[in-house]
Amino acid sequence: MAEYALEQLRESIILGELPAGTPLRLDELARSLGMSISPIREAVRQLEALGLAKHVPHQGARVLDFDIEELRDLFQVRLALESLAVRRAAPRFTDADADVAQRHLERFDAAAAAGDVRETMRAHTDFHFTLYEASQSSWLVALIRPAWDRSERFRPALLTSKGGPQESHRELDDVLLAACADHDPAAAAQALHDHLELASVIFEHELGGRGIFD
């Protein structure tokens, strides 16, 4: 139940349903999710560990604020870790991995066409972590996850943007998958870099910040 509560609260924060600064009152959250306080308390602790919430003395936990400079730091960390992950994944990538990743991209496209931001984000995450888990490094996956979750709070701005950059961003997922399926570590790392760099351009336009790799 704590895992379920964590996922529900995590998505609510990422989607902006629980905005920055919102108090995470255990009794209110327990009522809204229809469970006892104990799993909610554990879920909030995990949110703090993920960097999505912080404990304020004498006030309890609140959803953490964020800004574009933090996003720059997060994407630099993600670039290093995720590039290493896809470099390791490419030589180990199987046909089964490719099939699973392709199905997640099909989910992504269907959800995006339907305007379902929550499912689009889930499919996007599942696609990327299929690649990272193919690295067969539990440490890498464990290190990527908190930086990913923290930066996902900016994802809705990217998913709701329109035009050429967003279409190119989606096309780079296909390039990344093809590089892994071709067992080409260098091409996979380059596709991952291009994917994050283009995301920075979209974020710059949508959020009014600088490009992450400027």
Side-chain angles (χ1 to χ4, degrees):
M1 293 186 72
E3 291 178 0
Y4 172 79
L6 172 61
E7 186 59 22
Q8 294 300 306
L9 295 174
R10 172 187 167 275
E11 287 191 343
S12 293
I13 292 172
I14 289 171
L15 292 169
E17 296 167 353
L18 291 173
T22 299
L24 297 174
R25 298 188 175 92
L26 301 184
D27 54 346
E28 293 179 2
L29 295 174
R31 282 195 299 272
S32 68
L33 294 176
M35 60 181 66
S36 67
I37 286 180
S38 181
I40 297 296
R41 181 180 291 109
E42 178 58 30
V44 170
R45 286 176 183 154
Q46 291 299 316
L47 289 173
E48 292 173 6
L50 289 171
L52 295 175
K54 65 177 179 179
H55 182 79
V56 179
H58 310 299
Q59 297 183 37
R62 292 179 177 272
V63 177
L64 201 61
D65 294 331
F66 59 89
D67 58 37
I68 197 68
E69 288 303 319
E70 177 189 24
L71 186 64
R72 286 173 57 85
D73 288 343
L74 285 168
F75 267 60
Q76 292 288 356
V77 169
R78 284 185 55 188
L79 178 62
L81 293 174
E82 293 171 36
S83 294
L84 177 58
V86 296
R87 281 185 178 276
R88 285 177 55 99
R92 299 169 170 83
F93 213 66
T94 66
D95 290 342
D97 292 327
D99 288 342
V100 171
Q102 183 59 46
R103 287 198 295 272
H104 290 319
L105 287 181
E106 291 168 1
R107 283 175 54 216
F108 179 100
D109 291 337
D116 187 341
V117 175
R118 187 182 297 269
E119 178 61 17
T120 303
M121 292 179 64
R122 288 173 176 170
H124 178 258
T125 297
D126 291 342
F127 166 71
H128 276 271
F129 276 86
T130 296
L131 307 187
Y132 305 150
E133 288 165 3
S135 69
Q136 299 177 20
S137 171
S138 59
W139 272 107
L140 266 177
V141 174
L143 290 169
I144 289 169
R145 174 62 73 174
W148 176 280
D149 282 347
R150 193 90 163 96
S151 60
E152 279 294 271
R153 297 180 70 184
F154 298 84
R155 179 68 51 186
L158 191 154
L159 293 177
T160 55
S161 67
K162 305 296 182 182
Q166 172 59 23
E167 293 175 7
S168 298
H169 187 261
R170 169 60 185 84
E171 290 168 2
L172 283 169
D173 285 327
D174 292 326
V175 175
L176 177 57
L177 175 55
C180 289
D182 289 342
H183 309 297
D184 188 335
Q190 184 62 52
L192 192 283
H193 178 279
D194 293 344
H195 187 75
L196 292 180
E197 185 172 42
L198 183 55
S200 80
V201 174
I202 298 173
F203 283 130
E204 178 181 12
H205 178 265
E206 295 295 323
L207 302 178
R210 293 182 292 147
I212 295 162
F213 297 103
D214 290 348

